[in-house]
Amino acid sequence: MSPAPVVGEGYYRIKTAEGSVCLTLNAGDNSVVAKAVDPNDVAQAWRVKYTAGTDVGRFTATSGVNGLKLRLRPAAEGHPATMICEDAPPTTWLTIERKGVPDFVFITSEAVNDLALDSAPIDQPVKFDTQRAIGSPDSHRFVFEHCPEPPRQRGRGPAPGAASEFERTFFNLDIQGAIQKGPYDYIIVGTGIGGGVIARDLYETNSKLGRAAKSILVIEKGGLVFHSHCLNTSRPEGLGNNRGQQNDTFFALFKDDYDITHPNSEKPYVPPSTWKGGPMHCVGGRSAAWGLFSPRVHDDTLRKWFPESVAKDLKDTYFVEAEKLFNLSLPKTKVVHQHLIERLNIDARHLYKVNWQWGRIASEFKDSRNFDFAEGAYSTIDKLLEIMMSKPYVSADSDERKEHTNFKMLIRTEVRKIQFNDADKATGVVVKDEGSDDEHVIPLKNGGKVILSAGSVASPAILMRSGVDLSQAGAGMITDHDILYRALSFRYLKPEDRAEVGSMKLQTYFDMDDKDHQWGLANMSIDASSFLPRAKSVDKTLPQMIMSFILPCPLEKKCTITMVDDEPKVNMVRTEAYDKINRDRYLDRMKDVTESAVSIIEESLKVEFVDRNGLKNGNYLSYLELGGVAHELGSLPMPGSGSNSRHAIDENLKLSTGQDGVYVCDLSIFPMSPEANPTLTLAGLALRLSRQLVPRTMDRPLSATDNTVWILNQSGEAVQVWVSNYGNVTRTEEQLERELRRTFVSAGQCHSVERRNGIDEAVFVFRWDRLLTFEEVDNGAEMTFSKEPELFVVHPGLQPLVIS
């Protein structure tokens, strides 16, 4: 007989042989305590993976409540060895059978194999002691008893409560459900700025297409940690104390770590490669903590480094579209603000083409419409959560919700790789659930597509696990640009002026190199909240000016991503793109910009900088740690402006290594590290990809002429239309008979008729009256439409009439 009644994997209670005490997760601190057996207590359910032996078996276990791994907490001064649940690799436990008592086992660990688990005393943490002989107390003997799988609870950390209940209510799709409801047109991996923006945009496009809508599955590795951007919530030691934004605090608390090395450069003039970054595995990704400062990449940078079509589309269309999405806000400009901005631009106009203006912030601070609430800092979380919360009820008298017909979201699920067929076409994704090593395939439709938005490390790792050869694709050069900053305290000569001026955030490009016109970006925060470190001051209540600079750089060839034991390992160094002469010249220019701004602020705002002399010291600009503001990028680059540049994706973000059906849209796609925060640019590229995959507007039909009226139905439902003929176009009897009747136009479809150019025509639109449900229509009932039409005017030969 095996040493425990366990085979393979399943849910079990681990209880003492006499049956009264059970290992139980303590929700307060994730320790494991001994409690009386309670069949209704889900904290006593463990997902066990067991391998039986002759007299020794091995198992690992995860909590059925939150998926955390059962681990050994080693003995230390003041406490014995115990068990604890953590988000880390599980401990392998040994089960040892004793002769004559084959129905129970002693539990120990390879790390403490001279000890045995002791469940006593009740309501206290289980511990290990040295009594392992036959005849030892029953508290040392354990059996594994099958139990039902507990209700799905994806919350990390503390066991069931309002937060996990909220997550279960709206994110209740599991892997098997996702498989059964497939296959899908699009599977989006990740919900940060790349994947989250695409998911939102495709959902909104679907709402215009009716039955032509695409089926979409969004997969996120993490859970619902935040309900909005962290700056829309309470913060530790917030604005009233030191004006810190605290998003860096949230980032440090909730980020994960890469397996990373960051050796320093051998060149003495290159600053140390200290590292502070990492991914955030949660709905919204790092958009939960970062992404608010949203400047555009300079036109010269786009022209020099990006494909021509990408640069043109961003400048002409998608920067504006992304700014609308972000609710980009500019503050109210007072006379004192305009005065300072003008003085900065006039008095410092000789300094490297500076042109100071308000900083571009992805936040709606105030809604001008009465009783509408401002949306605050932008994150992809808000729309994704709104979509999930709007899932319809199963029936009018049910509290249970069903999935959207064409949009589904699966969380706490890791995509490990992409499945390809023999023709190298993507056919699905291979996933595993949090807390399990079992892998499952979620299928794509024939011709379906995977959009990788898992991040600059995870996306290439998924491709490499999938067998994609990235060695010749310029991949892996994950790069972060240099950010330098200086903080200075000041005081107003008239203290009452501080309230009048308030807070200011300004930005300007500056010319780093007169020959190549390479642009850096300067950001200035005046008595405003900032994530950057504040200056040390004898008076912490003094306002501060913080100046920061972002410098562009090419992708760093010394940075690499390799796979070790099927997991990514990152080597990250600070850019060596600038030699000492150039680096010193850039530093001098940044010092000049800073000193000029300080002088102008002193004069214009009537303030006194208390540590002005500090500017005359040597290295007064400090380097921010690599990854400190989540800008690492470039590991799967698009082609540069030069035709010979190596690249992993094409200018439409499609994988260019020979496999079909895979697109990438996260920070990994950048062909260089720009002088601007990359958030806005990534959002613009995400919108561009979404509109290319599922167009919202239809190209003019090939048969159309300057005499064609064409109508695009993007209302999401079928309509009937009738078009006038004021131009008295001659028609055949068949055309006349057809046009005397209303024309049925399905959602997402286009209708066109010939009319005379230069003469406006009337279009009557009759909408579905919704007296029948879709199900009734599907079962053969005839749709009926409104008796009174909506009236529109169209112009033959011009843009289509879009019915929304």
Side-chain angles (χ1 to χ4, degrees), residues 279-292:
M280 285 180 69
H281 294 131
C282 59
V283 176
R286 295 192 298 201
S287 78
W290 297 112
L292 296 193

Side-chain angles (χ1 to χ4, degrees), residues 27 235 250 418 442 462 468 495 646 751 769:
R235 284 167 269 163
F250 283 97
I418 300 169
I442 299 179
I462 291 169
V468 176
R646 294 194 302 165
H751 171 64
D769 60 16

Side-chain angles (χ1 to χ4, degrees), residues 665-676:
C665 191
D666 53 31
L667 289 182
S668 67
I669 66 178
F670 279 63
M672 53 84 67
S673 187
E675 76 286 348

Side-chain angles (χ1 to χ4, degrees), residues 159-170:
S164 58
E165 191 68 34
F166 186 96
E167 187 178 283
R168 282 203 313 278
T169 299
F170 298 111

Side-chain angles (χ1 to χ4, degrees), residues 97 270 272 733 736:
E97 180 185 359
V270 177
E733 289 187 10
L736 180 60

Side-chain angles (χ1 to χ4, degrees), residues 675-690:
E675 76 286 348
N677 305 48
T679 307
L680 183 77
T681 304
L682 178 57
L685 292 170
L687 291 170
R688 177 177 181 263
L689 176 58
S690 173

